[in-house]
Amino acid sequence: RDDIKIDQISIYVEHPVPEKLPDKEKRDVATTFLTKKEKKRLRKLNREEVQKEKQIKVMLGLEKPPEARATLTNMTRVYGSKAFEDPTKVEQMVRQQMQERLDKHITQNQERKLTPEQRKQKKLEKLRKNETGEIQAVVYKIADISNPLHRKNIDHTTRDGALSGVLIICAEGDC
């Protein structure tokens, strides 16, 4: 082979930069179950990536830098000489900012909170998802079912677990 240039070959191996998959291809990939550690690691890497992108945008001037998160412990560092000139005013301002952050957090949680109907739907979907096609049987022996509390507990258990079955009542000593 005359077309190979031996003098341009080196011992170094080039590793190309890994590229992100488009969203469409991600959906087509078969789902694999990750361990808790792997999920944690992926989540951490994604958060780091988003944070780096934000930092780059701030450096390029595309976004304003985030406002300093002032707390009572770091207010002198954040506001510097202003904190020494009028500490009461700065403390009120910091407390107000802290309250605004807390209110924002609470409202966002309320927005994400599922309605009772959505919770029921999610629970049912979870139960359906776990179906493997196997038939599972559980036998309970209850000495006395005359107590309404016992009947209520049985009823709730069957409704919550989407269970079906048969109740067999035996005469004393037959079971």
Side-chain angles (χ1 to χ4, degrees):
R1 298 194 162 168
D2 298 329
D3 56 338
I4 299 175
K5 298 179 181 173
I6 302 287
D7 57 331
Q8 291 185 353
I9 298 174
S10 68
I11 61 168
Y12 301 109
V13 177
E14 182 180 338
H15 296 282
V17 178
E19 295 180 10
K20 292 183 188 176
L21 290 173
D23 289 340
K24 188 177 181 183
E25 288 183 23
K26 280 185 182 177
R27 276 187 260 125
D28 294 342
V29 176
T31 56
T32 56
F33 297 105
L34 301 173
T35 62
K36 204 172 192 180
K37 218 175 197 181
E38 291 170 332
K39 286 180 189 176
K40 188 176 178 182
R41 186 172 167 267
L42 277 175
R43 187 168 174 256
K44 182 182 176 187
L45 290 173
N46 289 338
R47 280 199 318 257
E48 283 178 0
E49 193 175 309
V50 168
Q51 192 64 30
K52 283 179 185 176
E53 287 175 8
K54 281 183 184 177
Q55 287 175 352
I56 291 170
K57 287 178 183 177
V58 168
M59 281 191 264
L60 294 173
L62 300 173
E63 284 183 7
K64 285 194 286 184
E67 189 180 314
R69 274 188 94 247
T71 60
L72 293 174
T73 53
N74 72 352
M75 70 181 186
T76 52
R77 275 178 277 157
V78 173
Y79 291 107
S81 61
K82 205 183 207 184
F84 292 109
E85 291 170 9
D86 195 358
T88 310
K89 185 179 178 182
V90 171
E91 183 181 341
Q92 285 177 339
M93 195 166 60
V94 168
R95 285 187 189 276
Q96 183 183 0
Q97 288 175 356
M98 288 169 58
Q99 189 61 42
E100 286 171 0
R101 287 196 298 266
L102 181 64
D103 292 342
K104 181 183 172 190
H105 170 75
I106 290 170
T107 55
Q108 285 177 343
N109 279 352
Q110 288 298 327
E111 289 169 5
R112 279 194 301 267
K113 192 175 182 181
L114 297 175
T115 63
E117 185 61 37
Q118 289 172 327
R119 265 189 269 133
K120 284 180 186 176
Q121 191 65 30
K122 184 177 178 182
K123 198 172 187 179
L124 285 172
E125 285 175 18
K126 195 172 183 181
L127 285 170
R128 281 192 212 112
K129 185 178 176 184
N130 288 341
E131 288 179 0
T132 56
E134 298 174 350
I135 296 174
Q136 296 180 345
V138 180
V139 178
Y140 295 103
K141 181 178 179 182
I142 302 169
D144 184 20
I145 200 163
S146 63
N147 188 339
L149 183 63
H150 292 166
R151 288 196 301 267
K152 183 181 140 231
N153 286 342
I154 293 168
D155 188 44
H156 279 287
T157 305
T158 55
R159 249 191 272 138
D160 290 346
L163 304 175
S164 61
V166 178
L167 173 65
I168 302 172
I169 300 174
C170 300
E172 195 73 29
D174 289 348
C175 295

